[in-house]
Amino acid sequence: MAVSTQPPAKLRWGELEEDDGEDLDFLLPPRQVIGPDENGIKRVIEYKFNDEGNKIKITTTTRTRKLANARLSKSAIERRSWAKFGDAVHEEVGSRLTMVSTEEILLERPRAPGTKAEETKVAGDPLAQMGKAGAVLMVCRTCGKKGDHWTSRCPYKDLAPPSEGFVDKPAASDSAAAAAAGAGKSSYVPPSLRAGAERTGGTDMRRRNDENSVRVTNLSEDTREPDLNELFRPFGPVSRVYVAIDQKTGMSRGFGFVNFVHKEDAQRAINKLNGYGYDNLILKVEWATPRSN
Amino acid sequence: MRPILMKGHERPLTFLKYNREGDLLFSCAKDHTPTVWFADNGERLGTYRGHNGAVWCCDVSRDSRLLITGSADQTVKLWNVQTGAQLYTFNFDSPARAVDFSVGDKLAVITTDPFMELPSAIHSGESVLVLKGPQGRINRAVWGPLNRTIISAGEDAVIRIWDAETGKLLKESDQEVGHKKTITSLTKSADGSHFLTGSLDKSAKLWDTRTLTLIKTYVTERPVNAVAMSPLLDHVVLGGGQDASAVTTTDHRAGKFEAKFYDKILQEEIGGVKGHFGPINALAFNPDGKSFSSGGEDGYVRLHHFDPDYFNIKI
């Protein structure tokens, strides 16, 4: 037979294959299961046609493991095979009483692991933020007590003269801002009066802000005030460090201010740190331009 | 984790209970039919039909053969766990609220509500003993160690320890340190040495079973309807949320229908598990400590199998 077929079969083997394939094309080799071996590794080989009609071989390797902690008592295993009763007997197929949640539910930590209790809810409600900055922020203008209560809650409120302009232009007055921030997102609060913003009191603050103030931009997002302090401290005494924090996200906005006690220290810091690589970013350090007002 | 949602009840859940081995979960709801589920995959095994009122509480015997349920239809029924057949009915003159099998399953403590000028009462066994006295509903009553005592708590916010034999009142919780409002739930630790109570005064308190001294207080920001203690880790879970009738009157996020995890010892919050869209009325921990379930006013039971990282949580 081999001799007789040889001469006409001058064909190339590739074509031969094609002829053979004509009737066998739709047949797929059977599914093969190998294992599981002593390591619990099981190999399943399957064949199928893909979208273009080509045969493909799929090898699935799985490892089956016995769960060590899937211990069940004898009676529990017996209960597993109990017949359904009550309403569960004739349960409609489509009723789907038991479903696995499509939503992934996580145990939501109140704060990131490893942080201290004081740092909770940075991005939380404005009240919490006020509480954080509490000591500085919460100053009662009526009795002058710090950190105890707001002006509006002052026990001596009735004794004090009414504060002028409180009703007329609420946004301009300190207490209104405090009240507004406390009340939540309802009303506009100027950025300078917002909870996160550093502010102690009128003129004192302005003078200090303008004096020997250095603006640092292109900070990385996780740079915080202590980091900046550490960075600028070697140049001389620093009176204030401030990193702008986004109110909504609680993330750094990427810039901050550092105030030096001595102007020459500030100049040295600018000379040295402008263009300094910090946290993979190149810092831009310059004199802060005074506020236009 | 992806919780398993079980929607077998048509009314708010009232109570959840695992059997001793933790393979069955019993749920009670206001819809008259207690239900039993497989605790691993949430498949419904059966229902116990026969009550004619809201079912407030249940307990299962140690061998998982008997189920006792207390209902607002003024009866307490005993059931065959496997077949759902009614075995016995205790009839009372007022709605039954709490039920608990004693150690050995020979006795059961049953509380009944004040009703039609009848005072609330604690019954034990085939009315071996009836205790009367406390004002208002008794929401929970459980057996103390060795069946010597019965611990009760309820609407008058006082926890009482009674002598189970004579019916004498042995101890009352301190008004100063105790709860200020209705105690909604009470659960014993796995070894019975201490128990946890949850109250509408937005706190849960941990008490010593023998001396009734206050050990810990867990403060939360909403009424506590249900409490559970992990048998595995030093965690307690508080469930609650604002009263269903007050939901529409406040901010949509203020409902706080989460199960809150607290560290049992440090009293610090570990985290919250969200999901229910109504207050949580019932909580239960699987005796193996690897899953817990919660039942809500929304009629769902949510069965949570913990992720592996839950077991390594550090504060």
Side-chain angles (χ1 to χ4, degrees), chain B residues 29-43:
Chain B
K30 291 186 183 170
D31 68 356
H32 313 182
T33 15
T35 302
V36 59
W37 312 80
F38 285 116
D40 52 347
N41 58 6
E43 195 187 332

Side-chain angles (χ1 to χ4, degrees), chain A residues 69 72-73 75-91 96-111 113-114 117 185, chain B residues 1-7 19 21 23-24 36 38 40-49 64 81-84 253 261 268-274 302 313-314:
Chain A
N69 50 9
L72 277 173
S73 71
S75 45
I77 291 164
E78 186 210 315
R79 284 194 285 271
R80 203 59 248 202
S81 55
W82 277 1
K84 304 246 165 134
F85 59 91
D87 295 340
V89 178
H90 35 79
E91 207 163 278
R96 306 235 299 148
L97 288 177
T98 305
M99 285 177 294
V100 176
S101 166
T102 51
E103 202 183 346
E104 180 75 25
I105 305 271
L106 294 169
L107 188 71
E108 283 178 26
R109 308 294 301 265
R111 56 178 181 274
K185 55 215 179 253
Chain B
M1 51 197 163
R2 284 185 191 276
I4 297 168
L5 277 61
M6 288 120 87
K7 175 84 185 123
N19 68 342
E21 277 119 340
D23 61 321
L24 298 179
V36 59
F38 285 116
D40 52 347
N41 58 6
E43 195 187 332
R44 186 163 77 166
L45 172 60
T47 58
Y48 300 92
R49 266 182 299 177
S64 305
V81 168
Q82 182 176 1
T83 61
R253 282 168 308 175
F261 281 70
E268 245 176 76
E269 188 184 326
I270 298 168
V273 174
K274 283 186 186 158
R302 295 174 74 97
I313 282 184
K314 298 261 186 321

Side-chain angles (χ1 to χ4, degrees), chain A residues 122 125-153 173-182 189-202 205 208 225 242 247:
Chain A
V122 173
D125 53 282
L127 258 178
Q129 282 201 6
M130 307 280 262
K132 203 178 84 180
V136 193
L137 253 171
M138 206 191 271
V139 181
C140 173
R141 282 176 300 110
T142 312
C143 61
K145 210 170 174 189
K146 274 188 188 171
D148 184 48
H149 54 261
W150 298 108
T151 308
S152 56
R153 298 260 172 84
S173 112
D174 261 5
S175 77
V189 182
S192 61
L193 294 175
R194 271 178 201 162
E198 182 88 23
R199 93 199 147 87
T200 29
M205 178 186 78
R208 216 187 52 191
E225 277 149 13
Y242 169 69
Q247 288 293 297

Side-chain angles (χ1 to χ4, degrees), chain B residues 175-234:
Chain B
Q175 297 275 6
E176 281 293 302
V177 298
H179 285 293
K180 301 284 178 277
K181 286 188 186 165
T182 301
I183 296 171
T184 51
S185 54
L186 189 160
T187 179
K188 285 190 288 184
S189 67
D191 61 358
S193 67
H194 52 282
F195 62 92
L196 182 69
T197 54
S199 160
L200 297 184
D201 67 5
K202 303 181 182 177
S203 71
K205 288 173 193 284
L206 195 69
W207 307 83
D208 186 287
T209 307
R210 283 167 202 275
T211 59
L212 199 59
T213 43
L214 180 67
I215 306 171
K216 299 279 177 192
T217 302
Y218 311 94
V219 183
T220 174
E221 63 274 315
R222 60 271 153 88
V224 179
N225 292 341
V227 291
M229 261 189 280
S230 169
L232 193 65
L233 302 172
D234 281 331

